[in-house]
Amino acid sequence: MTDGAQGAENRGGTPNRRADAGDGPDAPGDDLPETDAQRRRRRAQFLRELHEAKALRDRVQPRRVKAARMRQAMRMRTFRW
């Protein structure tokens, strides 16, 4: 049986970028400081994956999402300036 990360890679269609750890800025033999462009790329990738994970959670748990929306609406209605 495969682990969860590889199963998600096969189902999702997008490759798991963390699988190739040898070519990223986190490589064990890489002593050079990370550039701003590399940091921004890594952050953008993280935010894309985070957004995708939240969207997936919303699709598989619609009741929880609806309840959260209702709570947020109630908070906004009772908010005082």
Side-chain angles (χ1 to χ4, degrees):
M1 188 166 198
T2 62
D3 65 320
Q6 186 168 354
E9 175 183 333
N10 294 338
R11 284 190 307 272
T14 55
N16 188 353
R17 301 269 191 286
R18 284 173 261 148
D20 16 274
D23 61 357
D26 301 337
D30 194 7
D31 293 334
L32 299 175
E34 183 178 45
T35 65
D36 286 343
Q38 290 171 332
R39 187 188 65 79
R40 283 193 301 269
R41 259 195 305 276
R42 206 167 39 86
R43 182 177 186 273
Q45 177 67 30
F46 169 76
L47 291 175
R48 276 193 298 271
E49 290 176 357
L50 179 65
H51 180 72
E52 182 181 345
K54 285 182 179 181
L56 175 64
R57 186 184 62 200
D58 292 350
R59 282 195 307 272
V60 299
Q61 297 178 338
R63 186 180 298 168
R64 180 176 290 183
V65 174
K66 182 179 179 184
R69 250 193 337 262
M70 298 296 271
R71 284 192 302 273
Q72 177 66 16
M74 183 62 70
R75 273 194 300 268
M76 295 308 286
R77 277 193 298 254
T78 58
F79 183 75
R80 303 266 184 191
W81 289 98

Coordinates of all heavy atoms in Angstrom, one line a residue:
M1 N 0.8 -1.2 0.0 CA 0.0 0.0 0.0 C 0.9 1.2 0.0 O 1.9 1.3 0.7 CB -0.9 0.0 1.2 CG -1.9 1.0 1.3 SD -3.1 0.6 2.6 CE -4.4 1.5 2.1
T2 N 0.5 2.3 -0.8 CA 1.3 3.5 -0.9 C 1.0 4.4 0.2 O -0.1 4.4 0.8 CB 1.1 4.2 -2.2 OG1 -0.2 4.6 -2.3 CG2 1.5 3.3 -3.4
D3 N 1.9 5.3 0.5 CA 1.7 6.3 1.6 C 0.8 7.4 1.0 O 0.6 7.5 -0.2 CB 3.0 6.9 2.1 CG 3.8 7.7 1.0 OD1 3.8 7.2 -0.1 OD2 4.4 8.7 1.4
G4 N 0.3 8.3 1.9 CA -0.7 9.3 1.5 C -0.1 10.3 0.5 O -0.8 10.8 -0.4
A5 N 1.2 10.7 0.6 CA 1.7 11.7 -0.3 C 1.8 11.2 -1.7 O 1.5 11.9 -2.6 CB 3.1 12.1 0.2
Q6 N 2.2 10.0 -1.9 CA 2.3 9.5 -3.2 C 0.9 9.2 -3.8 O 0.7 9.5 -5.0 CB 3.1 8.2 -3.3 CG 3.4 7.7 -4.7 CD 4.4 6.6 -4.7 OE1 5.0 6.3 -3.7 NE2 4.6 6.0 -5.8
G7 N 0.0 8.8 -3.0 CA -1.4 8.6 -3.5 C -2.0 9.9 -3.9 O -2.7 10.0 -5.0
A8 N -1.8 11.0 -3.2 CA -2.3 12.3 -3.6 C -1.6 12.8 -4.8 O -2.3 13.4 -5.7 CB -2.1 13.3 -2.4
E9 N -0.4 12.4 -5.0 CA 0.3 12.9 -6.2 C -0.3 12.2 -7.5 O -0.5 12.9 -8.5 CB 1.8 12.5 -6.1 CG 2.6 12.8 -7.4 CD 4.0 12.3 -7.3 OE1 4.5 12.2 -6.2 OE2 4.6 12.0 -8.3
N10 N -0.7 11.0 -7.4 CA -1.3 10.3 -8.5 C -2.7 10.7 -8.7 O -3.1 10.8 -9.9 CB -1.3 8.8 -8.2 CG 0.1 8.2 -8.2 OD1 1.0 8.8 -8.7 ND2 0.3 7.1 -7.5
R11 N -3.5 11.0 -7.7 CA -4.8 11.5 -7.9 C -4.9 12.9 -8.4 O -5.8 13.3 -9.2 CB -5.6 11.3 -6.6 CG -6.0 9.9 -6.3 CD -7.0 9.8 -5.2 NE -6.5 10.5 -4.0 CZ -5.8 10.0 -3.0 NH1 -5.4 8.7 -3.1 NH2 -5.4 10.7 -2.0
G12 N -4.1 13.8 -7.8 CA -4.2 15.2 -8.0 C -3.8 15.7 -9.4 O -4.2 16.7 -9.8
G13 N -2.9 15.0 -10.0 CA -2.4 15.4 -11.3 C -1.2 16.3 -11.2 O -0.5 16.5 -12.2
T14 N -0.9 16.9 -10.1 CA 0.2 17.8 -9.9 C 1.3 17.0 -9.2 O 1.0 16.4 -8.2 CB -0.1 19.1 -9.1 OG1 -0.7 18.7 -7.9 CG2 -1.1 20.0 -9.9
P15 N 2.5 17.1 -9.7 CA 3.6 16.3 -9.0 C 3.9 16.9 -7.6 O 3.8 18.1 -7.4 CB 4.8 16.4 -9.9 CG 4.5 17.6 -10.7 CD 3.0 17.8 -10.8
N16 N 4.4 16.0 -6.8 CA 4.8 16.4 -5.4 C 6.2 17.1 -5.5 O 7.1 16.4 -5.7 CB 4.7 15.2 -4.5 CG 5.0 15.7 -3.0 OD1 5.2 16.8 -2.8 ND2 4.8 14.7 -2.1
R17 N 6.3 18.4 -5.4 CA 7.6 19.0 -5.5 C 8.5 18.7 -4.4 O 9.7 18.7 -4.6 CB 7.4 20.6 -5.5 CG 6.4 21.1 -6.6 CD 7.2 21.4 -7.8 NE 6.4 22.1 -8.8 CZ 5.5 21.6 -9.6 NH1 5.1 20.4 -9.4 NH2 4.9 22.4 -10.5
R18 N 8.0 18.3 -3.3 CA 8.9 18.0 -2.1 C 9.6 16.6 -2.3 O 10.5 16.3 -1.6 CB 8.2 18.0 -0.8 CG 7.9 19.4 -0.4 CD 7.0 19.4 0.8 NE 5.6 19.6 0.3 CZ 4.5 19.1 0.8 NH1 4.5 18.4 1.8 NH2 3.4 19.4 0.3
A19 N 9.2 15.8 -3.3 CA 9.8 14.5 -3.5 C 11.2 14.6 -4.0 O 12.1 13.8 -3.6 CB 8.9 13.7 -4.5
D20 N 11.5 15.6 -4.8 CA 12.9 15.8 -5.3 C 13.6 16.8 -4.4 O 13.8 17.9 -4.7 CB 13.0 16.2 -6.8 CG 11.7 16.8 -7.3 OD1 10.9 15.9 -7.7 OD2 11.5 18.0 -7.3
A21 N 14.1 16.3 -3.2 CA 14.7 17.2 -2.3 C 16.1 17.6 -2.6 O 16.7 18.5 -2.1 CB 14.7 16.5 -0.9
G22 N 16.8 16.9 -3.6 CA 18.1 17.2 -3.9 C 18.4 18.4 -4.7 O 19.5 18.9 -4.8
D23 N 17.4 18.9 -5.4 CA 17.6 20.1 -6.3 C 17.1 21.4 -5.8 O 17.2 22.4 -6.5 CB 17.1 19.8 -7.7 CG 15.6 19.5 -7.7 OD1 15.0 19.6 -6.6 OD2 15.0 19.3 -8.8
G24 N 16.5 21.4 -4.6 CA 15.9 22.7 -4.1 C 16.9 23.5 -3.3 O 18.1 23.1 -3.1
P25 N 16.5 24.6 -2.8 CA 17.4 25.4 -2.0 C 17.7 24.8 -0.6 O 18.6 25.2 0.1 CB 16.6 26.7 -1.8 CG 15.2 26.4 -2.0 CD 15.2 25.3 -3.0
D26 N 17.0 23.7 -0.3 CA 17.2 23.1 1.0 C 18.1 21.9 0.9 O 18.2 21.0 1.7 CB 15.8 22.6 1.6 CG 14.9 23.7 1.8 OD1 15.3 24.8 1.9 OD2 13.7 23.4 1.8
A27 N 18.8 21.8 -0.2 CA 19.7 20.7 -0.5 C 20.8 20.6 0.6 O 21.3 21.7 1.1 CB 20.4 20.8 -1.8
P28 N 21.2 19.4 1.1 CA 22.1 19.3 2.2 C 23.5 20.0 1.9 O 24.1 20.6 2.8 CB 22.3 17.8 2.4 CG 21.2 17.2 1.7 CD 20.7 18.2 0.6
G29 N 24.0 19.9 0.7 CA 25.3 20.5 0.4 C 25.3 21.9 0.0 O 26.3 22.5 -0.3
D30 N 24.1 22.6 0.0 CA 24.0 23.9 -0.5 C 24.2 24.9 0.7 O 23.4 25.1 1.5 CB 22.6 24.1 -1.1 CG 22.5 25.4 -1.9 OD1 23.5 26.0 -2.2 OD2 21.4 25.7 -2.4
D31 N 25.4 25.6 0.6 CA 25.7 26.6 1.7 C 25.4 28.0 1.3 O 25.6 29.0 2.1 CB 27.1 26.5 2.1 CG 27.4 25.1 2.8 OD1 26.4 24.6 3.4 OD2 28.5 24.7 2.8
L32 N 24.9 28.3 0.1 CA 24.7 29.6 -0.4 C 23.4 30.2 0.2 O 22.4 29.4 0.4 CB 24.5 29.6 -1.9 CG 25.8 29.1 -2.7 CD1 25.4 29.1 -4.2 CD2 26.9 30.1 -2.5
P33 N 23.4 31.5 0.5 CA 22.1 32.1 1.1 C 21.0 32.1 0.0 O 21.3 32.2 -1.2 CB 22.6 33.5 1.5 CG 23.8 33.7 0.7 CD 24.5 32.4 0.4
E34 N 19.8 32.0 0.5 CA 18.7 32.0 -0.4 C 18.4 33.4 -1.0 O 18.4 34.4 -0.2 CB 17.5 31.5 0.3 CG 16.2 31.4 -0.5 CD 15.1 30.8 0.3 OE1 14.9 31.3 1.5 OE2 14.4 29.9 -0.2
T35 N 18.2 33.5 -2.3 CA 17.9 34.9 -2.8 C 16.4 35.2 -2.6 O 15.6 34.3 -2.3 CB 18.2 34.9 -4.3 OG1 17.3 34.0 -5.0 CG2 19.7 34.5 -4.6
D36 N 16.1 36.5 -2.8 CA 14.7 36.9 -2.6 C 13.8 36.3 -3.7 O 12.7 35.9 -3.3 CB 14.6 38.4 -2.8 CG 15.2 39.2 -1.6 OD1 15.3 38.5 -0.5 OD2 15.4 40.4 -1.7
A37 N 14.3 36.1 -4.9 CA 13.5 35.5 -5.9 C 13.2 34.0 -5.6 O 12.0 33.6 -5.7 CB 14.2 35.5 -7.3
Q38 N 14.2 33.3 -5.0 CA 13.9 31.9 -4.6 C 12.9 31.8 -3.5 O 12.1 31.0 -3.4 CB 15.2 31.3 -4.2 CG 16.2 31.0 -5.3 CD 17.6 30.6 -4.8 OE1 18.0 30.9 -3.7 NE2 18.3 29.8 -5.7
R39 N 13.1 32.7 -2.5 CA 12.2 32.8 -1.4 C 10.7 33.1 -1.8 O 9.8 32.4 -1.4 CB 12.6 33.8 -0.4 CG 11.8 33.8 0.9 CD 12.2 34.9 1.8 NE 11.8 36.2 1.3 CZ 10.5 36.7 1.3 NH1 9.6 36.0 1.8 NH2 10.3 37.8 0.8
R40 N 10.6 34.0 -2.8 CA 9.3 34.4 -3.3 C 8.7 33.2 -4.0 O 7.5 32.9 -3.9 CB 9.3 35.6 -4.1 CG 9.4 36.9 -3.3 CD 9.2 38.1 -4.2 NE 10.1 38.2 -5.3 CZ 11.3 38.8 -5.3 NH1 11.7 39.5 -4.2 NH2 12.1 38.9 -6.3
R41 N 9.5 32.5 -4.8 CA 9.0 31.3 -5.6 C 8.5 30.3 -4.6 O 7.4 29.7 -4.8 CB 10.1 30.8 -6.5 CG 9.9 31.2 -7.9 CD 10.8 30.3 -8.8 NE 12.2 30.4 -8.4 CZ 13.1 31.3 -8.8 NH1 12.7 32.3 -9.5 NH2 14.3 31.2 -8.4
R42 N 9.3 30.0 -3.6 CA 9.0 29.0 -2.6 C 7.7 29.4 -1.9 O 6.8 28.5 -1.6 CB 10.1 28.8 -1.6 CG 10.2 27.5 -1.0 CD 11.5 27.2 -0.3 NE 12.1 28.4 0.4 CZ 11.8 28.7 1.6 NH1 10.9 28.0 2.3 NH2 12.3 29.7 2.2
R43 N 7.6 30.6 -1.5 CA 6.4 31.1 -0.8 C 5.2 31.0 -1.7 O 4.1 30.6 -1.2 CB 6.6 32.6 -0.3 CG 5.4 33.1 0.4 CD 5.8 34.5 0.9 NE 4.7 35.1 1.8 CZ 3.7 35.7 1.3 NH1 3.5 35.9 0.0 NH2 2.7 36.1 2.2
A44 N 5.3 31.4 -3.0 CA 4.2 31.3 -3.9 C 3.7 29.8 -4.0 O 2.5 29.6 -4.0 CB 4.5 31.9 -5.2
Q45 N 4.7 28.9 -4.1 CA 4.3 27.5 -4.2 C 3.6 27.0 -3.0 O 2.6 26.3 -3.1 CB 5.6 26.7 -4.5 CG 5.4 25.2 -4.5 CD 4.6 24.8 -5.7 OE1 4.6 25.4 -6.8 NE2 3.8 23.7 -5.6
F46 N 4.1 27.4 -1.8 CA 3.4 27.1 -0.6 C 2.0 27.6 -0.5 O 1.1 26.9 -0.1 CB 4.3 27.6 0.6 CG 3.5 27.5 1.9 CD1 3.4 26.2 2.6 CD2 2.9 28.6 2.5 CE1 2.8 26.1 3.8 CE2 2.2 28.5 3.7 CZ 2.2 27.2 4.3
L47 N 1.8 28.9 -0.9 CA 0.5 29.4 -0.8 C -0.5 28.8 -1.8 O -1.6 28.6 -1.5 CB 0.6 31.0 -1.1 CG 1.2 31.7 0.0 CD1 1.4 33.2 -0.4 CD2 0.5 31.6 1.3
R48 N 0.1 28.4 -3.0 CA -0.8 27.6 -4.0 C -1.2 26.3 -3.4 O -2.4 25.9 -3.5 CB 0.0 27.4 -5.3 CG 0.0 28.6 -6.2 CD 0.5 28.1 -7.6 NE 1.8 27.7 -7.6 CZ 2.9 28.5 -7.7 NH1 2.7 29.8 -7.9 NH2 4.1 28.0 -7.7
E49 N -0.3 25.6 -2.8 CA -0.6 24.3 -2.2 C -1.6 24.5 -1.0 O -2.5 23.6 -0.8 CB 0.6 23.6 -1.7 CG 1.5 23.1 -2.9 CD 2.8 22.4 -2.4 OE1 3.0 22.4 -1.2 OE2 3.5 22.0 -3.3
L50 N -1.4 25.5 -0.2 CA -2.3 25.8 0.9 C -3.7 26.1 0.4 O -4.7 25.5 0.9 CB -1.8 26.9 1.7 CG -2.6 27.3 2.9 CD1 -2.6 26.2 4.0 CD2 -2.1 28.6 3.6
H51 N -3.8 26.9 -0.6 CA -5.1 27.2 -1.2 C -5.8 26.0 -1.8 O -7.0 25.8 -1.6 CB -5.0 28.3 -2.3 CG -6.3 28.7 -2.9 ND1 -7.2 29.4 -2.2 CD2 -6.8 28.4 -4.1 CE1 -8.3 29.6 -3.0 NE2 -8.0 29.0 -4.2
E52 N -5.0 25.1 -2.4 CA -5.6 23.9 -3.0 C -6.1 23.0 -1.9 O -7.1 22.4 -2.0 CB -4.5 23.2 -3.8 CG -4.9 21.9 -4.5 CD -3.8 21.3 -5.3 OE1 -2.8 21.9 -5.5 OE2 -4.0 20.1 -5.6
A53 N -5.3 22.9 -0.8 CA -5.7 22.0 0.3 C -7.0 22.5 1.0 O -7.9 21.7 1.3 CB -4.6 21.9 1.3
K54 N -7.1 23.8 1.1 CA -8.3 24.4 1.7 C -9.5 24.2 0.8 O -10.6 23.9 1.3 CB -8.1 25.9 2.0 CG -7.3 26.2 3.2 CD -7.2 27.6 3.5 CE -6.3 27.9 4.7 NZ -6.2 29.4 5.0
A55 N -9.3 24.3 -0.5 CA -10.4 24.1 -1.4 C -10.9 22.6 -1.4 O -12.1 22.3 -1.4 CB -10.0 24.5 -2.8
L56 N -9.9 21.7 -1.3 CA -10.3 20.3 -1.2 C -11.0 20.0 0.1 O -12.1 19.3 0.0 CB -9.0 19.5 -1.2 CG -9.2 18.0 -1.1 CD1 -10.0 17.4 -2.2 CD2 -7.8 17.3 -0.9
R57 N -10.6 20.6 1.2 CA -11.3 20.4 2.4 C -12.7 20.9 2.4 O -13.7 20.3 2.9 CB -10.5 21.1 3.6 CG -11.1 20.8 5.0 CD -10.4 21.5 6.0 NE -10.6 22.9 5.8 CZ -9.8 23.9 6.3 NH1 -8.8 23.5 7.1 NH2 -10.1 25.1 6.1
D58 N -12.9 22.1 1.7 CA -14.2 22.7 1.6 C -15.1 21.8 0.7 O -16.3 21.7 1.0 CB -14.1 24.0 0.9 CG -13.5 25.1 1.9 OD1 -13.3 24.7 3.1 OD2 -13.2 26.2 1.4
R59 N -14.6 21.1 -0.3 CA -15.4 20.2 -1.2 C -15.8 19.0 -0.4 O -16.9 18.5 -0.7 CB -14.6 19.9 -2.4 CG -14.6 21.0 -3.4 CD -14.1 20.5 -4.8 NE -12.9 19.7 -4.8 CZ -11.7 20.3 -4.9 NH1 -11.6 21.6 -5.1 NH2 -10.6 19.6 -4.9
V60 N -14.9 18.4 0.4 CA -15.2 17.1 1.0 C -16.0 17.3 2.3 O -16.5 16.3 2.8 CB -14.0 16.3 1.3 CG1 -13.3 16.0 -0.1 CG2 -13.0 16.9 2.2
Q61 N -16.1 18.5 2.9 CA -16.8 18.7 4.1 C -17.8 19.9 4.0 O -17.6 21.0 4.6 CB -15.9 19.0 5.3 CG -14.9 17.8 5.6 CD -14.0 18.1 6.7 OE1 -13.7 19.3 7.0 NE2 -13.4 17.1 7.3
P62 N -18.8 19.8 3.1 CA -19.6 21.0 2.8 C -20.4 21.5 4.1 O -20.7 22.7 4.2 CB -20.6 20.5 1.7 CG -20.5 19.1 1.7 CD -19.2 18.7 2.3
R63 N -20.8 20.5 4.9 CA -21.6 20.9 6.1 C -20.7 21.8 7.0 O -21.2 22.8 7.6 CB -22.0 19.7 6.9 CG -22.9 20.0 8.0 CD -23.4 18.8 8.8 NE -24.1 17.9 7.9 CZ -24.5 16.7 8.2 NH1 -24.1 16.2 9.3 NH2 -25.2 16.0 7.3
R64 N -19.5 21.5 7.2 CA -18.6 22.3 8.1 C -18.4 23.7 7.5 O -18.3 24.7 8.2 CB -17.2 21.6 8.2 CG -16.3 22.3 9.1 CD -15.0 21.6 9.3 NE -15.3 20.4 10.2 CZ -14.3 19.6 10.6 NH1 -13.1 19.8 10.2 NH2 -14.6 18.6 11.4
V65 N -18.2 23.7 6.2 CA -18.0 25.0 5.5 C -19.3 25.9 5.6 O -19.1 27.1 5.9 CB -17.7 24.8 4.0 CG1 -17.6 26.1 3.2 CG2 -16.4 24.0 3.8
K66 N -20.4 25.3 5.5 CA -21.7 26.1 5.6 C -21.8 26.6 7.1 O -22.2 27.8 7.3 CB -22.9 25.2 5.3 CG -24.2 26.0 5.4 CD -25.4 25.1 5.0 CE -26.6 25.9 5.1 NZ -27.8 25.1 4.9
A67 N -21.5 25.8 8.0 CA -21.5 26.2 9.4 C -20.6 27.4 9.7 O -20.9 28.4 10.4 CB -21.3 25.1 10.4
A68 N -19.4 27.3 9.1 CA -18.4 28.3 9.3 C -18.8 29.6 8.7 O -18.6 30.7 9.2 CB -17.0 27.9 8.7
R69 N -19.4 29.5 7.5 CA -20.0 30.7 6.8 C -21.1 31.4 7.6 O -21.1 32.6 7.8 CB -20.6 30.3 5.4 CG -19.8 30.8 4.3 CD -20.5 30.7 3.0 NE -21.5 29.7 2.8 CZ -21.4 28.5 2.3 NH1 -20.3 28.1 1.9 NH2 -22.4 27.7 2.2
M70 N -21.9 30.6 8.3 CA -23.0 31.1 9.1 C -22.4 31.8 10.3 O -22.9 32.9 10.7 CB -24.0 30.0 9.5 CG -24.7 29.3 8.3 SD -25.7 30.5 7.5 CE -27.2 30.3 8.4
R71 N -21.4 31.2 11.0 CA -20.8 31.8 12.1 C -20.1 33.1 11.7 O -20.2 34.1 12.5 CB -19.7 30.9 12.7 CG -20.3 29.8 13.5 CD -19.3 29.0 14.4 NE -18.2 28.5 13.6 CZ -18.2 27.3 13.0 NH1 -19.3 26.5 13.2 NH2 -17.2 26.9 12.3
Q72 N -19.5 33.2 10.6 CA -18.8 34.4 10.1 C -19.9 35.5 9.9 O -19.7 36.6 10.2 CB -18.0 34.1 8.9 CG -17.3 35.4 8.3 CD -16.3 36.0 9.2 OE1 -15.8 35.4 10.1 NE2 -15.9 37.2 8.9
A73 N -21.0 35.1 9.3 CA -22.1 36.1 9.0 C -22.6 36.6 10.3 O -22.9 37.8 10.4 CB -23.1 35.4 8.2
M74 N -22.8 35.7 11.3 CA -23.3 36.2 12.6 C -22.3 37.2 13.3 O -22.7 38.2 13.8 CB -23.5 35.0 13.5 CG -24.1 35.3 14.9 SD -25.7 36.1 14.7 CE -26.7 34.7 14.2
R75 N -21.0 36.8 13.2 CA -20.0 37.8 13.7 C -20.1 39.1 13.0 O -20.0 40.2 13.7 CB -18.6 37.2 13.5 CG -18.2 36.3 14.7 CD -16.7 36.0 14.6 NE -16.3 35.4 13.4 CZ -16.2 34.1 13.2 NH1 -16.4 33.2 14.2 NH2 -15.8 33.6 12.1
M76 N -20.2 39.1 11.7 CA -20.3 40.4 11.0 C -21.5 41.2 11.4 O -21.5 42.4 11.4 CB -20.2 40.1 9.5 CG -18.9 39.5 9.1 SD -17.4 40.4 9.6 CE -17.5 41.8 8.5
R77 N -22.6 40.5 11.6 CA -23.9 41.2 11.9 C -23.8 41.8 13.3 O -24.4 42.9 13.6 CB -25.1 40.2 11.9 CG -25.6 40.1 10.5 CD -26.9 39.4 10.6 NE -26.8 38.0 11.2 CZ -26.9 36.9 10.5 NH1 -27.1 36.9 9.2 NH2 -26.8 35.8 11.1
T78 N -23.1 41.2 14.2 CA -23.1 41.7 15.6 C -21.8 42.5 15.9 O -21.7 43.0 17.0 CB -23.1 40.5 16.6 OG1 -21.9 39.7 16.3 CG2 -24.3 39.7 16.5
F79 N -21.0 42.8 14.9 CA -19.8 43.6 15.1 C -20.2 45.1 15.3 O -21.1 45.6 14.6 CB -18.9 43.5 13.9 CG -17.6 44.2 14.0 CD1 -16.6 43.7 14.8 CD2 -17.4 45.4 13.4 CE1 -15.4 44.4 15.0 CE2 -16.2 46.1 13.6 CZ -15.2 45.6 14.4
R80 N -19.6 45.7 16.3 CA -19.9 47.1 16.6 C -18.7 48.0 16.2 O -17.5 47.6 16.5 CB -20.1 47.3 18.1 CG -21.3 46.5 18.6 CD -22.5 47.3 18.6 NE -23.6 46.6 19.2 CZ -24.8 46.9 19.1 NH1 -25.2 48.0 18.5 NH2 -25.7 46.1 19.7
W81 N -18.9 49.1 15.6 CA -17.8 50.0 15.2 C -17.4 50.8 16.3 O -17.8 51.3 17.2 CB -18.1 50.8 14.0 CG -18.2 50.0 12.8 CD1 -19.3 49.5 12.2 CD2 -17.1 49.6 12.0 NE1 -19.0 48.8 11.1 CE2 -17.7 48.8 10.9 CE3 -15.7 49.7 12.0 CZ2 -16.9 48.2 10.0 CZ3 -15.0 49.2 11.1 CH2 -15.6 48.4 10.0

